[in-house]
Every structure is written in C-alpha cells, then in structure tokens.
Amino acid sequence: MSVESIKPDRLKKIASPTNIIFGNSKGGVGKSTLALMAGLGLATRHQNADIEIIDLDPQATSSDSLQRFTNERFSVVRDEDFFLASGSPNNGNIVNHIGHDRARPQRQKFIIFDSPAGSDPIRSSFLLHCDIIFVPTSVADADVFATHKFLAGLQELIDKRSTADERLPAVVILPNMVDCRDDFNNVRHAFGAEPFLLGHPLYYAPIYRRAFRADEGDVSVKLLLKQAKPYLKWLVDVISNHDSLPRMPAKLYQL
Ligand SMILES: Nc1ncnc2c1ncn2[C@@H]1O[C@H](COP(=O)(O)OP(=O)(O)OP(=O)(O)O)[C@@H](O)[C@H]1O
Ligand SMILES: [Mg+2]
C-alpha cells in the first residue's frame, strides 16, 4: 500500500510511533517482564503493526531473551548510541531515533522501552516524548517508597519542561506481584495523593518468573500469555487508546 492511498486521519495516527516506557528507579519491580508482555501482547493484537523493543538496560535482559522472537515486524534494539559515557541516556539520540524517517511509514508502529534500575527521570528528558510511562511497583514498603521518589522525579521533569503546551505523557502506576485484594487497596491508598493513573493489579504467580525462559516450543511464554490474557487485554487496550487517557488528574485516578 502506498502512503498516498491511506486516508489522512489514519495517516496522522500512524505517522508517528506510539512510544511506551516501563520505568522505575527501583530494581526488580517487573519492568522487563511487563515490557516483554506488552510487546508480545501488542504483536498479537495488532497483526499489521511494527513492534520495536528498545532495551536501555546494560544487563540486556530483554534484548538477549527476546532475540528469538524477532522477525520482519518485531525487532529488539540495543544501541550504545542511546547512552552517554556516564551511562545516562543520550536523550538527543533517543529522541532522534523515535522521530527518524521510518522504513515503512504506512504501518502503525509501537516502540516499547525497557529501562534499567537506578535511572533518574531528571536525566531522562526523552521521557517527555513518550505517550505512556508505565511505572511498575510491588506492594513491598521499600518499593512503594522508591516509587514515590521516582514519581517525584517525573513530576519535576514535567514541571521543568520548556514548552507548556507539549502533550504530556500519561503516567500509569502498575501494581505488580499483588497477593490479594487488600494488597491492591494498600497500594491505592499509598499513592492516593499522586496526580497520576493507577492500573489494574498483576497478581503474583510463579509463571511470571519464567517469562524469559527459552524452553522448547516456548511453553513457558505461551502459558504466561494464556494465564495473563485478561490483564494483557487491559494493558493493550490502554496502550491502543492512549490518546484518551487523562494526563495529570488532581489526585490518583483509577483506570
Ligand atoms: N507478577 C509476578 N509474579 C511473580 N513474579 C514476578 C511477577 N512480575 C515479575 N516477577 C519476577 O520478579 C523478578 C523481577 O522482574 P523483572 O526482571 O521484570 O524486574 P525489573 O524491574 O526489570 O528488574 P531490574 O530493575 O533488575 O531490571 C523476576 O524474577 C520476574 O520473573
Ligand atoms: Mg529489567
């Protein structure tokens, strides 16, 4: 299909990629697991879209284990040019990459960033070019505490942006490894005053610990996708409809 034959409203929708990041300075909260699930979930739902996973983690969890799924429309990128010598993100190069001329501009594209523990929002201005910033957290006190700090950094980055009319990313807190409904209510309470969005809970289940296992026939990943089907449907819906998400609610807004 040529670009000329696509209706203008659809062209507008697909001309720029949808950029999603899973970020939290706290380690082990599920950033890589959720990035993998989102990538595979989007690839399944949007069969004509290109999906690109960008691994910003020096540990390369995503890029190593997802290589086996790559094909013409599913790619995994790890590029030294996305980092400065200090290890911080090279914001200019990342933003350039997001906005560069696409090889296949007629196709919808989703870019998913997996980011490392320890990343500082203030040094990550490329975050302002994302459509959704997902912030996974567990319900453990230490993780909730660290997540508050990360959200405060995000808020500072948003407040310091140069042009006030820039479209803001939607910030969605994702409670992960939740044990029971009470756990979820505790998270909701803990983040009650934050001007961000609260996602559905992902419950603790051993299958998620095998998300990166390359076993024969990918049985673990298939089982994970099956077990997480309702959650993935919700997550992919949120990503697909990101334009209609509230940006900065007065207080926590439950999706
Ligand atoms: N819902 C869940 N239930 C059970 N285990 C989970 C769940 N989500 C993630 N895990 C496990 O928790 C561990 C940490 O997850 P993951 O590596 O995705 O976190 P991360 O935030 O990317 O960590 P890092 O900051 O080190 O990159 C992994 O062993 C993963 O399999
Ligand atoms: Mg990780």
Side-chain angles (χ1 to χ4, degrees), residues 94-114:
I94 296 174
V95 172
N96 255 339
H97 177 86
I98 295 174
H100 85 318
D101 284 344
R102 309 231 324 261
R104 298 193 293 181
Q106 72 276 26
R107 289 164 68 102
Q108 189 171 12
K109 181 168 182 178
F110 296 93
I111 297 181
I112 302 169
F113 290 95
D114 178 20

Side-chain angles (χ1 to χ4, degrees), residues 204-253:
Y204 180 91
I207 187 66
Y208 297 110
R209 298 204 311 239
R210 301 196 285 275
F212 293 95
R213 189 174 293 183
D215 44 16
E216 206 174 332
D218 288 314
V219 260
S220 295
V221 172
K222 282 180 189 155
L223 192 62
L224 183 158
L225 293 178
K226 193 169 163 206
Q227 191 162 323
K229 210 169 175 181
Y231 182 83
L232 263 183
K233 184 187 175 307
W234 170 79
L235 189 68
V236 171
D237 278 347
V238 167
I239 296 169
S240 309
N241 302 314
H242 66 86
D243 271 339
S244 51
L245 292 174
R247 265 31 202 189
M248 297 287 286
K251 59 184 172 62
L252 192 70
Y253 179 101

Side-chain angles (χ1 to χ4, degrees), residues 28 30-33 57 59 61-62 114-117:
K31 298 179 291 291
S32 301
T33 307
D57 190 342
Q59 289 179 56
T61 312
S62 292
D114 178 20
S115 62

